[in-house]
Amino acid sequence: MPVYIALLRAVNVGGTGPLPMAELKAICEGLGFSDVKTYIQSGNVLFRSDEAEKVVEERLDDALGKTMRKRPGVMVRSRKELDKIATDAPFPEAQPNFLLVYFLPEKAPGDALETMVAPDGEEAKLAGREIYVHYPNGSGRSKLKLPALKPGTSRNLNTVRKLAAMAAALEDGD
């Protein structure tokens, strides 16, 4: 059974509101997902499901919308996709916590970076449904403007690597 990683947008970090990870786990189990595991409080959950990625994404977003009164936005990736995202990270000189991966609901247009305003020397790279952004001074006070990031959710490279390792352990546990 495939292993999926779901990344919730704006959960427990602003925007959508609080969601205890125990509740997220219970929602996933209620949807019939198995081997459910959460990671940190920012809306990361791993599980198994025989359903297609888009079906899983829609069902989880809908269930969360009923619980939270607003659909947060859910980006789902397979274990292999997450491995590739972690392995293919550009900007090798970047500290992993200063390199954010923005997970988007669909592939960004090829010209998405043309409107970028990066006053602090931020760098970005498109990669399918992800945009990597290196924040040389950290993302906290950055004045970066990049509209293509709005529908997505971000995780730093350390978190992406941890989620990839957790997904591999879950899948290899077969």
Side-chain angles (χ1 to χ4, degrees):
M1 193 178 313
V3 172
Y4 291 112
I5 303 90
L7 307 157
L8 282 56
R9 185 172 177 270
V11 170
N12 295 341
V13 292
T16 306
L19 177 68
M21 293 300 97
E23 189 173 350
L24 174 58
K25 181 178 181 184
I27 288 167
C28 289
E29 290 170 343
L31 291 170
F33 305 155
S34 60
D35 297 327
V36 180
K37 298 180 184 334
T38 61
Y39 178 67
I40 61 176
Q41 294 295 314
S42 58
N44 307 298
V45 62
L46 301 90
F47 52 84
R48 295 176 183 274
S49 175
D50 278 329
E51 296 177 308
E53 180 180 300
K54 282 293 177 194
V55 173
V56 166
E57 194 174 83
E58 182 63 27
R59 288 185 65 220
L60 182 53
D61 202 26
D62 185 56
L64 289 166
K66 289 175 181 158
T67 299
M68 303 172 79
R69 297 188 180 100
K70 178 183 176 188
R71 293 170 71 131
V74 175
M75 286 16 106
V76 173
R77 301 296 187 265
S78 70
R79 178 240 169 138
K80 287 183 181 175
E81 286 175 306
L82 205 64
D83 279 344
K84 183 169 175 38
I85 291 162
T87 302
D88 292 353
F91 314 117
E93 75 290 346
Q95 295 177 41
N97 58 323
F98 283 37
L99 178 55
L100 270 59
V101 180
Y102 286 83
F103 295 87
L104 305 173
E106 55 192 44
K107 186 177 178 181
D111 64 353
L113 300 183
E114 289 180 15
T115 60
M116 183 169 87
V117 176
D120 296 317
E122 297 90 349
E123 303 171 273
K125 181 178 180 201
L126 289 177
R129 294 187 295 165
E130 286 73 41
I131 299 177
Y132 296 90
V133 179
H134 173 220
Y135 293 89
N137 301 319
S139 63
R141 285 184 238 119
S142 172
K143 302 290 186 215
L144 175 75
K145 290 187 175 115
L146 184 53
L149 303 177
K150 187 155 179 58
T153 187
S154 67
R155 303 295 185 272
N156 72 40
L157 188 57
N158 286 329
T159 298
V160 173
R161 287 175 175 161
K162 177 64 176 176
L163 290 168
M166 289 174 68
L170 184 59
E171 193 168 88
D172 295 343
D174 287 340

